[in-house]
Amino acid sequence: MPDKIPSFDLTRNYARVKEEVRVSVDRVLETQHFIMGPEVENFEKEMSAYLDVQQTAACASGTDALVLALMDLDLKEGDEVITTPFTFFATASCITRTGARPVFADVEPDSYNLSMEAVLEKITPRTKAVIPVHLFGQTCKLELIKEELEKRNIKLVEDCAQAIGAHRIVNGEIWRAGAVGDLGCFSFFPTKNLGCYGDGGMISIPRDEAAAARIKKLRVHGAGTTYFHEEIGINSRLDAIQAAILRVRLRHLEEWNEERRIVADRYKTLLGEKGLLEVIKPPVEQQGNRHVYHQYVVRATRRDELMQFLAERGVVTRIYYPLSLHLQPCFSYLGYREGDFPVSEMLTRDVLALPIFPELLPEEQIRIVDEIAAFYGGQK
């Protein structure tokens, strides 16, 4: 068998920045200041400038970013939060941790993102927040709901875990992921476009100084001053070594995102040249969007057979996501049934994530597409 092509390869990326990273880690080791502190504060300032928001608050993970954001909304039992069933589990589980109830709305078949029209249909007097997920690296059409949510005093919490650096042009203005709603939530899991070497997360607070101050207390057990607790928070601190690594990697993020876009364009070209666009539907970059391709997710005819065929030939692919959240056993109490969200359910049967990372070589992509063509050519 030829060399395996991984779905992502962190070692190639590390080779590009390892000297910078080692300098940054040594700087922290010399100070022996490992939890929060100046390194984290500087990272927060740099991220605030990058996102063009008033403040950011670093925390221990992307999941914690969602938890802290929802804690700031003071949700209670009986409140409803609208989100997508086609996403990572944490988006919905964080709602339940507040006592509120997840309310799902279906998604778009081309972008895989939450349908804004479906969101508006789901609003009730109990709706307190909406969590759109900018899935796989492309922002939702927030301009279709933002004004209505503001009128109704419904909070907009962006899940940007997969979309750092993505934006949308609305009336000639750049709407950056994480800078449009009331709060934005980011993950720095190692495989993300901006990943650290462990776990990490961040909340962006575009405009609300009071929210920023409160979230920064909530992440340290609700203490404004050490050992003086104004409310019950959680322990969710970013450590200084991860912050130092992220500061290095942030400097390269735009370059890496552009490289991901080149990889995505090449996939589409190669698939077209092989006449595969009838059986493989590439992701659609919607008009006005800058997609940063955290994942390159296609819709494939006979998806499971193709995945097995590629695996046997050394091409690693993944399924994001194999079961909609409304059909997960732990959410059965919500009362949803199969057929309630047909687009999401269709995607779980069809989607396949092809390998994508900035260092993926053109010859590797050619091999991947050649193998896909071999599958469909030999299976007709």
Side-chain angles (χ1 to χ4, degrees):
M1 180 185 291
D3 290 342
K4 182 177 289 188
I5 301 177
S7 58
F8 51 84
D9 187 343
L10 298 178
T11 60
R12 298 188 202 182
N13 188 263
Y14 176 60
R16 300 171 68 177
V17 294
K18 65 181 180 181
E19 296 307 321
E20 292 176 77
V21 166
R22 287 174 177 176
V23 168
S24 71
V25 171
D26 283 344
R27 183 175 67 241
V28 176
L29 295 177
E30 289 298 322
T31 67
Q32 290 290 292
H33 194 147
F34 297 117
I35 303 297
M36 304 295 283
E39 206 69 55
V40 172
E41 291 170 5
N42 285 326
F43 175 55
E44 289 175 338
K45 290 176 184 176
E46 290 160 8
M47 277 293 294
S48 298
Y50 175 78
L51 296 172
D52 194 19
V53 297
Q54 191 175 82
Q55 290 197 55
T56 56
C59 60
S61 70
T63 298
D64 278 3
L66 285 161
V67 169
L68 287 162
L70 295 181
M71 287 176 72
D72 182 60
L73 303 188
D74 292 318
L75 299 174
K76 61 185 183 302
E77 189 172 349
D79 290 342
E80 295 178 349
V81 179
I82 300 170
T83 193
T84 168
F86 190 67
T87 183
F88 181 61
F89 178 74
T91 305
S93 69
C94 293
I95 298 169
T96 68
R97 292 180 185 280
T98 68
R101 184 180 183 88
V103 173
F104 295 118
D106 213 350
V107 297
E108 300 175 333
D110 58 349
S111 71
Y112 320 129
N113 273 337
L114 189 61
S115 163
M116 299 296 102
E117 293 83 2
V119 167
L120 294 175
E121 291 174 1
K122 295 287 183 176
I123 292 175
T124 75
R126 294 182 297 277
T127 305
K128 302 301 179 185
V130 175
I131 305 179
V133 180
H134 303 310
L135 200 65
F136 303 143
Q138 178 165 215
T139 56
C140 299
K141 301 171 185 172
L142 297 183
E143 71 275 12
L144 300 182
I145 62 170
K146 182 174 168 60
E147 186 175 345
E148 184 65 22
L149 297 187
E150 289 172 350
K151 285 181 184 177
R152 296 175 180 239
N153 195 30
I154 297 170
K155 298 299 183 181
L156 181 58
V157 179
E158 298 175 69
D159 184 336
C160 313
Q162 301 182 12
I164 189 166
H167 68 240
R168 180 168 175 79
I169 304 294
V170 179
N171 296 325
E173 182 183 350
I174 295 177
W175 284 25
R176 302 183 189 280
V180 179
D182 297 282
L183 298 168
C185 301
F186 294 85
S187 168
F188 303 128
F189 190 77
T191 58
K192 295 295 193 287
N193 292 33
L194 178 62
C196 57
Y197 297 163
D199 254 325
M202 176 167 277
I203 304 98
S204 60
I205 307 102
R207 295 166 292 277
D208 190 338
E209 289 187 14
R214 188 180 183 206
I215 288 169
K216 289 181 179 181
K217 292 176 187 176
L218 287 169
R219 69 181 173 180
V220 287
H221 297 290
T225 304
T226 304
Y227 303 131
F228 291 86
H229 302 269
E230 298 170 18
E231 58 183 314
I232 298 172
I234 62 174
N235 177 21
S236 183
R237 303 170 296 198
L238 184 68
D239 71 68
I241 286 178
Q242 298 301 344
I245 292 167
L246 286 164
R247 292 180 69 195
V248 169
R249 295 175 60 76
L250 178 60
R251 296 197 292 266
H252 298 275
L253 176 61
E254 284 299 301
E255 175 188 6
W256 294 339
N257 278 346
E258 283 304 314
E259 289 171 350
R260 285 175 178 271
R261 289 175 56 79
I262 290 170
V263 169
D265 285 344
R266 187 180 297 121
Y267 265 133
K268 189 173 182 179
T269 298
L270 291 171
L271 290 166
E273 288 175 351
K274 290 290 184 179
L276 292 168
L277 297 181
E278 289 298 313
V279 288
I280 296 287
K281 296 188 183 302
V284 173
E285 181 178 53
Q286 293 182 329
Q287 185 174 0
N289 274 351
R290 185 208 184 205
H291 201 319
V292 294
Y293 294 99
H294 171 59
Q295 300 293 345
Y296 190 85
V297 178
V298 302
R299 290 170 52 195
T301 303
R302 301 199 308 279
R303 187 269 313 275
D304 293 346
E305 297 171 58
L306 173 62
M307 186 179 189
Q308 181 63 32
F309 181 91
L310 293 174
E312 291 169 355
R313 287 152 181 79
V315 177
V316 180
T317 58
R318 294 173 182 262
I319 298 174
Y320 305 106
Y321 297 93
L323 184 64
S324 291
L325 294 185
H326 70 287
L327 299 177
Q328 296 285 350
C330 65
F331 291 133
S332 61
Y333 72 95
L334 295 173
Y336 293 112
R337 297 288 183 269
E338 189 170 351
D340 285 346
F341 303 106
V343 179
S344 177
E345 293 169 30
M346 176 267 293
L347 293 176
T348 65
R349 295 188 295 269
D350 292 353
V351 292
L352 188 67
L354 303 183
I356 188 165
F357 46 94
E359 299 79 20
L360 187 65
L361 300 174
E363 52 265 37
E364 291 175 315
Q365 288 189 264
I366 291 170
R367 180 179 143 203
I368 292 165
V369 175
D370 282 348
E371 295 290 8
I372 293 172
F375 170 77
Y376 287 109
Q379 298 289 316
K380 290 179 181 178

